[in-house]
Amino acid sequence: MANPTQGRSSSILPVSGRQAPQQAVLLWAAPQFVSKCGLHVLHHGRRKPPRRSFTCSASRLPSTEPPYVEEMLARENIRTRNTERKARIQKHLEKPEFSPSAYDTAWVAMVPLPDTDRQAPCFPQCVEWILQNQHCSGSWGINQFGLLANKDILLSTLACIIALKKWNVGSDHISRGLEFIGRNISTVMDKQIVSPIGFNLIFPGMFNHAIRMGLEFPVRETDISGILHLCEMELRRLAGEESNGKEAYLAFVAEEGLVSLLDRNEVMNFQRKNGSLFNSPAATAAVLVHRYDDKALQYLNSIVSIFGTTVPTVYPQNIYYQLSMVDMLEKIGISRHFSSEINSILDKAYISWLQRDEEIIQDVETCAMAFRLLRMNGYDVSSDELSHVSQASTFHDSLEGYLNQTKSLLELYKASKLCLSENELILENISNWSGRLLTEKLCSSGIKRTPILGEVEYTLKFPFYATVEALDHKRNIEHFDSRVSQQLKTKNLPCHVNQDLLDFAVEDFRLSQSIYQDELCHLESWEKENRLDQLKFLRKGSLISCYLSATATISAHELSDARIASMKTLALVLVADDFFDVGASKEEQENLIELVERWDQYHTVEFCSEQVEVVFSTIYTTVKQIGEMASAVQNCDVTKHLVETWLHYLRSLKTEAEWQQGQHVPTVDEYMTEAVASFAMGPIILAPLYFVEQKLEEHIIRDPEYNELLRLMSTCGRLLNDTQGFERESSEGKPNIISLLVLQSGGSMSIEAAQQATQESIALCRRELLRMVVREDRVVPRPCKELFWRFCRTAHLFYRHTDGFTSPKEMLWTMNAIFTEPLKLQTTSPPLDVQPEIIKDSSCYFPDKTCMTRKYTK
């Protein structure tokens, strides 16, 4: 009997063709650098075969060595640049730097020194900052992107002029500032230009106050009338409203607008424990300009002592900005590079959450974001802390609700989707009303289409459990604006770190694409070497979906070994599925199982056909190779566990084949017992797990927790598969959960009711799986549990419209987006539907099996 490994090259052999020592056995992974002799060397010191051992197209991989060396050097340059960026990002994560706000600094500069008959500034250093930081245009404020004027710059300039005039300093500065406002006065009344919060009250009020101070603006009387009319219209609008949200809004802006719409006690009802109003230096300073308050003055003293001569727009804001940074790092796919910093931030945020810190609880957006990030990262947080916004009415009573802030609504909606039990009614309520309000925003023809609305549309259309990281990361990078700012009364721009984030993510994604393409070349070579392309029963083009599924699930380019183990296992699962489904006789099926049962003595069993030989030989060599490499990582023999999962899977396929051959109709329980096993998550997930977790001991994969994770993931995947395959399988006379439910009900359940019941079961399994993944670590390590969740997300992607494995052409858009299409950075907007829609072109897959480094053209 011939050894199944003879006559074929192996991707894990050294160039010489001799078997490498066990500790040097590798599937294939992205090289870390190139030695002088041209060998690829991993960071752990194990040698790898050079590039020429793979069969790839000449268009991407020339046969000469120097271009390849250049490519490897280019990858090293990327890593070097990102190392420098990483250091700057780490510094910002540990200690955020906030941009100075000219507007807020001006208000702080206006605060008089107590007990001096209000004739001297309490913070003269802020007055000096104003004198030292006027732009050559005569303006103050953030203007780093070439904008000649906008409303927040005009507001900042006006506030600085008033501050200087109040203390009778800087006459030249005042003149230049007045001229700037005069030149750009039309901007004030331009409805097409975005207005800061409260602008139509604050600017007219301060403008009128400046005129009473004796300042002369070089503008026409009609301009003055138009500006004052803005205030009149805003006051008229407010007069027709009655809500707690309105009171919060007036307390936030009225003092700065120098209009008395609330009495002092009403305003001070919104004072926080730290002495501030809404953590706003400007709002707090405006109170002190008109009256003394000891707590408010202590708040300003504390800020100025921290920042020196200027203040930010909001303070304190460390929790919000650090959580926002964590969120952004996750969204653009580089959070794994900052694990230590992120853990530290989340630990501190969790302590603040437990202490019900005002910085979290009293800000809707921060509270919702903290809940989402903490829960998804394994912290025990209760949805009860969101009870104050469980109803739309209570949300509208808040400042964010009154302003109808899209970002706050979106964060609440995202948080509401992390329901871990049917008893979390607060989250269910929030999901209902926030989803409705977000939908209304999208449907409103009067709202300008902004990036945040694009994110809203994407979030509503694609649930977080039905997207995959690689696509999410790409979309978020393409929509990332390094100039993004939080629009309050004036712009609160982050520092240069945003550009570092974008550059880091762009190069990391491009490096990933390069590695993905090299892996695909290797996988194609593996497919041909093992003669899988000669199996006539195999679904045409189905291996495309295997490559996509593995990469969508395991996207970090460092996990190349895990990804390739997953790709090969998925491919073998499809081969076995088609073999038992349509490609093999009963004798061939039994022959294959007997060969696997006698794994170490397979040579004592005869192959009954060539296709059995091809199928078994590929399973044997591939599982053996994966097992050898995994054993080297785990420092113990794990091949036997892989073989066990394969045997269990093949036996379940045999049972289903016998049902089909004997026209047996199983009960729902019988069907689900075998269907969960035949979904093949046993072998599919175990292979990559050995490369994700460096110490995956045997007791872990034998533990009930592991088995329950496997059951939930497999059940969810099987039901998704049955939902999309119902019509096809019914026409072929195959059992399906929907048809069995109808049959078992004796006709009392309709097909529609069975489909609804199946969807409810999917939701239940998905929720329970998520609960197990995010709860405190027990036996199964968190990285392993997260891989179950990622496979669940990938299953939702593949069965969103159809069966992505049966109809691989329909996954073409996703394939191109992940593997070949370059990033489109703020030039042309990519479609919102970045998850795949159905593509009808029948020539989309790669029938000629050429190396998959080119774009899969139609």
Side-chain angles (χ1 to χ4, degrees), residues 217-365:
F217 293 90
V219 298
R220 297 170 297 181
E221 285 295 327
T222 54
D223 292 327
I224 296 175
S225 299
I227 291 171
L228 298 180
H229 182 66
L230 290 175
C231 184
E232 293 171 6
M233 294 294 291
E234 181 69 359
L235 291 174
R236 231 175 268 158
R237 181 187 69 80
L238 290 166
E241 295 181 354
E242 290 296 334
S243 71
N244 291 334
K246 169 187 168 182
E247 288 190 9
Y249 171 71
L250 291 176
F252 187 51
V253 302
E255 293 286 327
E256 296 160 56
L258 304 169
V259 289
S260 300
L261 300 177
L262 293 177
D263 65 35
R264 182 180 185 278
N265 291 331
E266 289 176 314
V267 171
M268 300 311 289
N269 283 338
F270 295 93
Q271 188 175 37
R272 298 190 176 179
K273 292 179 182 179
N274 61 12
S276 75
L277 267 68
F278 306 98
N279 286 340
S280 167
T284 309
V287 169
L288 287 167
V289 167
H290 299 104
R291 66 191 74 88
Y292 177 77
D293 183 270
D294 186 59
K295 288 179 64 179
L297 186 59
Q298 289 178 21
Y299 167 76
L300 291 185
N301 273 320
S302 68
I303 299 179
V304 174
S305 67
I306 293 171
F307 293 96
T309 60
T310 185
V311 297
T313 299
V314 180
Y315 189 84
Q317 56 185 340
N318 280 35
I319 294 177
Y320 171 79
Y321 273 101
Q322 287 184 316
L323 290 178
S324 296
M325 282 281 288
V326 171
D327 189 38
M328 182 54 66
L329 290 169
E330 291 184 353
K331 287 169 69 174
I332 61 179
I334 58 175
S335 59
R336 66 191 187 279
H337 299 287
F338 303 92
S339 298
S340 175
E341 292 79 12
I342 288 174
N343 289 337
S344 177
I345 289 171
L346 293 179
D347 284 345
K348 292 176 183 176
Y350 185 55
I351 293 173
S352 296
W353 177 277
L354 294 177
Q355 296 173 344
R356 305 193 82 252
D357 191 316
E358 281 187 338
E359 193 178 345
I360 290 181
I361 301 302
Q362 291 199 7
D363 184 86
V364 173
E365 183 182 344

Side-chain angles (χ1 to χ4, degrees), residues 43-179:
H43 63 280
H44 43 57
R46 295 181 292 183
R47 291 202 311 173
K48 299 169 57 65
R51 184 184 189 117
R52 59 179 175 271
S53 64
F54 306 120
T55 304
C56 299
S57 66
S59 62
R60 175 169 173 80
L61 302 177
S63 58
T64 56
E65 192 73 8
Y68 180 50
V69 174
E70 289 179 6
E71 183 178 336
M72 292 301 98
L73 291 174
R75 288 184 180 179
E76 278 308 302
N77 287 336
I78 288 175
R79 292 186 177 93
T80 300
R81 290 194 296 271
N82 274 353
T83 298
E84 297 168 355
R85 296 183 184 113
K86 181 178 180 179
R88 293 194 294 268
I89 294 170
Q90 286 173 323
K91 181 180 178 181
H92 189 79
L93 280 168
E94 294 166 0
K95 187 177 181 181
E97 299 176 13
F98 304 115
S99 301
S101 166
Y103 175 79
D104 290 78
T105 302
W107 269 105
V108 172
M110 293 184 218
V111 174
L113 185 66
D115 304 325
T116 62
D117 199 23
R118 307 177 70 82
Q119 298 302 309
C122 186
F123 302 101
Q125 62 269 52
C126 293
V127 179
E128 183 62 26
W129 184 90
I130 295 172
L131 291 171
Q132 298 297 326
N133 286 274
Q134 186 178 32
H135 299 305
C136 59
S137 63
S139 66
W140 282 270
I142 297 175
N143 187 23
Q144 66 185 94
F145 301 112
L147 299 175
L148 295 177
N150 55 42
K151 290 183 180 179
D152 63 89
I153 290 176
L154 286 168
L155 191 58
S156 297
T157 301
L158 180 58
C160 288
I161 290 172
I162 292 174
L164 295 179
K165 179 65 176 177
K166 178 169 184 174
W167 306 119
N168 292 315
V169 294
S171 58
D172 290 342
H173 297 76
I174 292 173
S175 296
R176 290 195 295 272
L178 291 171
E179 290 173 2

Side-chain angles (χ1 to χ4, degrees), residues 611-655:
Q611 70 176 10
V612 170
E613 179 183 4
V614 171
V615 173
F616 174 74
S617 297
T618 307
I619 292 175
Y620 181 86
T621 56
T622 304
V623 172
K624 188 172 183 292
Q625 291 163 8
I626 293 173
E628 287 173 344
M629 182 179 179
S631 298
V633 173
Q634 297 293 324
N635 199 27
C636 66
D637 183 15
V638 300
T639 304
K640 61 181 180 179
H641 304 312
L642 295 171
V643 176
E644 284 176 11
T645 62
W646 269 100
L647 193 55
H648 185 55
Y649 167 59
L650 295 175
R651 285 170 175 166
S652 70
L653 291 180
K654 181 68 168 61
T655 299

Side-chain angles (χ1 to χ4, degrees), residues 565-606:
S566 180
M567 287 178 180
K568 290 184 176 181
T569 304
L570 279 160
L572 292 178
V573 162
L574 278 187
V575 170
D577 186 62
D578 286 355
F579 178 81
F580 278 86
D581 196 19
V582 297
S585 65
K586 182 178 180 180
E587 180 187 6
E588 288 175 315
Q589 293 171 1
E590 292 173 347
N591 185 214
L592 178 61
I593 290 178
E594 185 180 5
L595 285 161
V596 176
E597 287 174 338
R598 300 195 185 185
W599 186 265
D600 291 327
Q601 290 83 35
Y602 71 87
H603 53 274
T604 64
V605 181
E606 291 286 341

